[in-house]
Every structure is written in C-alpha cells, then in structure tokens.
Amino acid sequence: MLIDGEWVSATDNCWFDSYEPGTGEVWARVAAATEVDVDRAVRAADRAMHSGPWSKMTASERGEALGRLGELVGRHATVLAEAETRDTGKLIRETAGSVAYVPAFYRYYGGLADKIQGHTLPSDKPGIEIFTYREPIGVVAAIVPWNSPQMLLAVKLAPALAAGNAVVIKPSEHGSVPILELGKLVEQAGIPPGVVNIVTGHGHPVGHELTKHPLVRRVAFTGGPETARTIVRNSAENFASLSLELGGKSPQIVFPDADLDSAVNGIIGGIFGASGQSCVAGSRLYAQREIYDDLIERLVDRTKSIRLGSPLDPDSEMGPLATTEQLQRFDSFVSATPAEGGRVLVGGQRPTKPSEGWFVEPTILETHAEGIRAQSDEIFGPVLAVTTFDNEAEAIKKANASQYGLAAGVWTSAADRAHRLIRSLSAGIVWVNTYRATSPVAPFGGLRDSGGGRESGADAVYDYTSVKTAWINSSNQAVSDPFKVQ
Ligand code: TXE
C-alpha cells in the first residue's frame, strides 16, 4: 500500500488473494489494511494538505503535476492496461483503449487547476466589500470499483488534486493491482508524499473505516446502491459531502426511422462491452413493433458470432465476468426468466469454450410480460432484456419506469423526436444515435438509485472546494457602539 509516500504492508501483515478472472487462478497477493493503516493514511493526507509542500504549491504548479501524471500514465499505458485486464478480466482491447484516454482526464483537470476562481460580489452595503475564495475541501476518500479502475479513479483523483486536496484511495478488492501501479507514477509526477495514499482491502474494515473517519471531508464513490447506503450513513457522522455513482438499468429505444445497422452496433457494444459490467450498460431494449422482429433477428445473429476468449487476447470480443458473485448473479436472473414469463432468445449458459475462467454467454431475453426481474433489476452482466412499444409516449413511459436513472439511448433520424426524448427521459445522460461515449468535458452521473452528484466536466472541480466568504470594511469609518442609539 502507499501511505505517506512509503510502500508498506499492513500493520498486522495480513494479505488477501486477487484472482485472475480469465483463468480463475490467484495471480496477486495484496495487503489487507487494518483500521490503524486507514487512520495513518488519512492523517498523512491531512498533514500533506495543510502543512506539506503541496499546500505551498501554486495552482499552476498543481496543474503541471497533474499534466505530468497524465503523461506518465500514457507512457506506462501497456503495463497499466495489462494489470487491469489480469486483475478484473476486462478485455485488453478495452483496457488499452480506456487507459489511453485516461491522460486526457489528468490534462483536463490539470488545465482547470489555475482557473478555480472566487467572485467579487456586488455588495449591497456601502463601504463594505465582499468576495469569495474557493478553498480545498479537505481529505477526499476515493472509493473505486473493479469494472474500470483507472478511469473511475481519474474522474475522482484529478479534480480532487486540481483543487488542492489530498486523497486516500480505496480500490476494489477485485481491482487493486492497476491502482497500485498508478501509485508508482505519483511520486515521479512530482506530487509530494502523503498527497495520494492507497489503502487496499475489503469494504470491511477498509472502506468502512475510511468513510467514517472524522478527517475525511468528501467521499467520491462508485459502486453498488447497497454499499452506497452504508456510506451515506457513515459519512453522516461527519457531514462529509458525497458523490455517488451507482449503476443503472439503462434503456435503449429504437424507432423505425433509425439507421438499424448503426443501432445494432450501438446496442451490442452498449450491453456486451465489458461483459455488461458497466454502469451505463444498455440492458433494456425497447423497439417499435414494426421493426421489432427485424431488429431482434439482427441482434441475435450478431450475438451468436461474438468471440469469447482470454481477456489478454486482442482478438477476443467478450471476456469473463470479474467475480464468482457476478457469475451467480447471471445464473440466478437468467434461470428465473422462463418461470417469470420471459424467453431466452440466445445465450443463457456457461460456454464450453473457453473451458477455464469465469465466462458466460452473451444473452438476449425476451421480456414482454410484467414482473420479470431481468427487465427491472441491474444484473451487471451481458444480458439484454428486449420488448416492444407502439408509440413514442409508450416508449417514454416504459423507459422511465425504473428506480434507476443513469443513462438512456435513443435511435432515430428525426431531430424533433430526438429533442422531445432528451427532455422526457428521466436519466442523467441521454445518447442519441451513439452510446457509451464519455469525455472529461461531459458531466456524468444519474438520478434516484443511480446516485447523485456528477463526475467529469468543469463543474465537478468545484465539488472538491469549499467557499470562503470575506467581508472587508473599506469605508474608513469605525464600527459604532452597537448599544448606543445614533
Ligand atoms: O460493489 P461494491 P460490488 C454494482 C453492480 C454490482 C454490485 C455489487 O450492480 O453487481 O454493485 O458489486 C467498497 N464502505 N456496481 O460488490 O461492494 C468495495 O470494497 C465503504 C456498479 O463490487 O459497491 C469497492 O471498493 N466502501 C458499479 C467499492 O466499495 C465499501 C461498479 C465498490 O464495491 C464498503 C461496481 C463499505 N461498507 C458495482 N463495502 C458502477 N456504478 O459502475 C464495499 N466497499
């Protein structure tokens, strides 16, 4: 682990195994932090923020350090991508692509570091000037899941550092190695010791202790809704501010005027990319009745030809699931579907090839009936639930009937319809004739059980600041005795 600039093992020297989902074998041993380690990391971050060299660096210097970190990520992209692939099972073609994009996030927030400004306010009191500063908020706990560790860390770490904070990162127990690899680059980037700390281990005790630590002022979390509820309760002890990015059950809506070839590619990529283990997976498909049969036939054909294979093989099109819990989740949803009134159109099984690793087939379920759980619940696997609609109003109603509200996809060639849908869909992100695109410039986040707060985009940097308001009496007039009538 990285605590106060030193590479250390846990104080009680405990370790846990990290498995390689492509083989199902242990491939790394990772330190299991204790309460004492978490406390040391938070205190180191607090010191680094308030009295270390970081606190004396100018905003421009912080921005330059972030730029250098991005450059180093680019230079070490091969190692970082391979670590992510081996630890999480995500395809090398996907991790190589996402790690290559990560420097853009460090550059973007590096560029913003010296543009974080307060305001001079139009005072309503003659002779009194009022203005605001934006100060760092305090120690940030960055809690990262396994499904895209580098990217989901960058959207937390980069704005937190740009604003002058120090950070304690808690990677997922299923994705620690890529983050530890990133930790090696932090010092080289000229970021002083203690500013970035990494404590590894399970939700309990590591995440738990971190989120209730009194010196933590902000928690940036990506993960599941149940964990988020615990974190909200823990952080309430200290009123730490929060961003919660919790996944979804995102609808894809296809109208007859859509370019169907393009829609098929967007839908396949949207659900089977990352083996469906993506918060924005487009896992519910609604197709207008006139094109339903044609669209489903194309999707089923393409699904049958998806090449499952080792995540390290650049020719593989879909890799394994990341954990055995994810395997069980897939099995339980898919096996329940026929009894709930649905039908397996393709997939649904564990494949015979590859014979090792945690693979499942890419799966499409027809879910016309009400109450099919695969239609309403987040599976976080390669399972697409499909059904029909007859008109635009019905499409919107069905798409919005979810406790989640992260993303939605719309496929249409009519500009007026696209605008109507964007306004009517209850989601944090709406993609029209594209899907799963992200960018450092674009806010990302959802509604209801998909969480709250937005990551990425220029405004996110302000979430890592607190406002200080200053009042100055520049009138040259002394303050009069408050108890003497004038
Ligand atoms: O997530 P967890 P899991 C969803 C998805 C998935 C489900 C469970 O539906 O099937 O969540 O996945 C840390 N205090 N998403 O179990 O547990 C944990 O160690 C503080 C959506 O992997 O939420 C890890 O670092 N932290 C998603 C992180 O929380 C705690 C990504 C996420 O793990 C903690 C992943 C605690 N008490 C899962 N308990 C997305 N939005 O992309 C655990 N953690």
Side-chain angles (χ1 to χ4, degrees):
M1 297 182 292
L2 181 62
I3 300 180
D4 209 5
E6 305 266 318
W7 288 98
V8 294
S9 39
T11 37
D12 62 1
N13 204 26
C14 271
W15 303 80
F16 66 93
D17 291 332
S18 192
Y19 287 81
E20 186 170 351
T23 61
E25 305 289 331
V26 173
W27 86 290
R29 289 176 73 225
V30 182
T34 61
E35 280 177 49
V36 175
D37 298 312
V38 172
D39 184 59
R40 279 184 55 219
V42 175
R43 289 185 190 284
D46 192 59
R47 270 195 312 276
M49 247 196 88
H50 293 109
S51 53
W54 185 241
S55 64
K56 297 176 186 71
M57 279 167 72
T58 63
S60 313
E61 286 168 340
R62 289 199 307 268
E64 282 160 22
L66 275 173
R68 285 194 297 274
L69 182 58
E71 212 176 283
L72 285 161
V73 169
R75 246 191 278 151
H76 293 80
T78 311
V79 173
L80 294 171
E82 191 180 319
E84 193 161 306
T85 288
R86 293 197 65 184
D87 217 17
T88 70
K90 197 166 179 176
L91 291 182
I92 194 75
R93 62 158 76 174
E94 290 175 335
T95 58
S98 78
V99 169
Y101 197 32
V102 162
F105 287 78
Y106 289 109
R107 270 199 306 273
Y108 179 78
Y109 285 105
L112 276 180
D114 57 7
K115 291 156 199 81
I116 301 170
Q117 297 168 349
H119 296 293
T120 305
L121 305 178
S123 173
D124 59 346
K125 305 189 192 323
I128 299 282
E129 291 171 40
I130 321 170
F131 50 93
T132 58
Y133 295 92
R134 287 278 181 174
E135 297 188 327
I137 195 166
V139 175
V140 174
I143 304 193
V144 183
W146 42 263
N147 57 337
S148 196
Q150 292 296 348
M151 184 64 90
L152 295 174
L153 173 62
V155 295
K156 299 169 176 59
L157 185 60
L161 295 184
N165 301 287
V167 181
V168 179
I169 303 165
K170 191 237 159 294
S172 165
E173 51 277 37
H174 309 294
S176 305
V177 181
I179 297 220
L180 292 167
E181 287 292 342
L182 178 97
K184 295 180 187 168
L185 308 177
V186 165
E187 193 186 347
Q188 290 179 47
I191 296 172
V195 175
V196 177
N197 304 273
I198 306 173
V199 284
T200 46
H202 290 84
H204 272 276
V206 184
H208 187 77
E209 293 301 324
L210 184 57
T211 50
K212 69 185 185 58
H213 198 292
L215 290 176
V216 167
R217 299 311 316 143
R218 182 170 178 82
V219 179
F221 172 75
T222 305
E226 275 322 305
T227 309
R229 287 190 177 93
T230 311
I231 288 176
V232 171
R233 281 192 286 269
N234 283 348
S235 59
E237 286 298 314
N238 318 305
F239 303 112
S241 77
L242 290 165
S243 66
L244 303 170
E245 203 274 273
L246 313 179
K249 189 75 188 176
S250 299
Q252 295 255 37
I253 307 169
V254 188
F255 290 96
D257 59 14
D259 172 342
L260 286 196
D261 289 334
S262 180
V264 166
N265 288 332
I267 293 162
I268 293 282
I271 184 61
F272 300 134
S275 305
Q277 301 170 121
S278 158
C279 49
V280 292
S283 50
R284 292 184 285 151
L285 171 68
Y286 299 100
Q288 195 155 331
R289 199 175 297 276
E290 296 91 295
I291 51 152
Y292 180 80
D293 289 341
D294 181 16
L295 181 67
I296 298 304
E297 195 181 321
R298 294 179 195 214
L299 287 169
V300 168
D301 282 352
R302 181 68 188 89
T303 301
K304 282 181 184 156
S305 71
I306 290 174
R307 216 173 17 248
L308 294 180
S310 163
L312 287 164
D313 179 350
D315 289 334
S316 299
E317 291 179 339
M318 205 181 94
L321 297 180
T323 66
T324 49
E325 289 80 15
Q326 290 295 124
L327 271 184
Q328 281 152 15
R329 214 172 152 75
F330 171 91
D331 287 342
S332 86
F333 276 100
V334 175
S335 61
T337 295
E340 291 171 346
R343 197 157 67 98
V344 179
L345 298 182
V346 60
Q349 305 291 323
R350 306 253 179 111
T352 45
K353 263 173 63 185
S355 55
E356 52 175 22
W358 301 332
F359 288 86
V360 297
E361 290 174 344
T363 299
I364 301 182
L365 306 175
E366 191 167 61
T367 53
H368 294 323
E370 297 266 310
I372 300 174
R373 286 187 312 126
Q375 238 280 330
S376 55
D377 294 10
E378 182 178 49
I379 301 174
F380 221 59
V383 182
L384 179 66
V386 301
T387 189
T388 55
F389 64 88
D390 286 310
N391 55 52
E392 196 177 298
E394 189 190 351
I396 293 166
K397 192 166 167 220
K398 285 184 163 172
N400 285 347
S402 171
Q403 78 269 33
Y404 291 102
L406 183 54
V410 179
W411 300 88
T412 179
S413 56
D416 57 338
R417 171 175 279 153
H419 282 273
R420 281 196 302 277
L421 268 283
I422 290 169
R423 285 181 184 278
S424 307
L425 288 169
S426 178
I429 306 159
V430 181
W431 285 295
V432 179
N433 298 330
T434 181
Y435 203 77
R436 252 182 117 205
T438 56
S439 164
V441 308
F444 185 101
L447 312 170
R448 300 183 295 281
D449 280 12
S450 293
R454 295 290 178 270
E455 295 190 311
S456 295
D459 290 345
V461 84
Y462 291 106
D463 294 338
Y464 292 89
T465 67
S466 62
V467 177
K468 179 178 280 172
T469 308
W471 297 72
I472 298 187
N473 178 359
S474 59
S475 67
N476 214 9
Q477 280 183 12
V479 176
S480 54
D481 184 331
F483 303 115
K484 212 181 215 171
V485 180
Q486 299 294 315

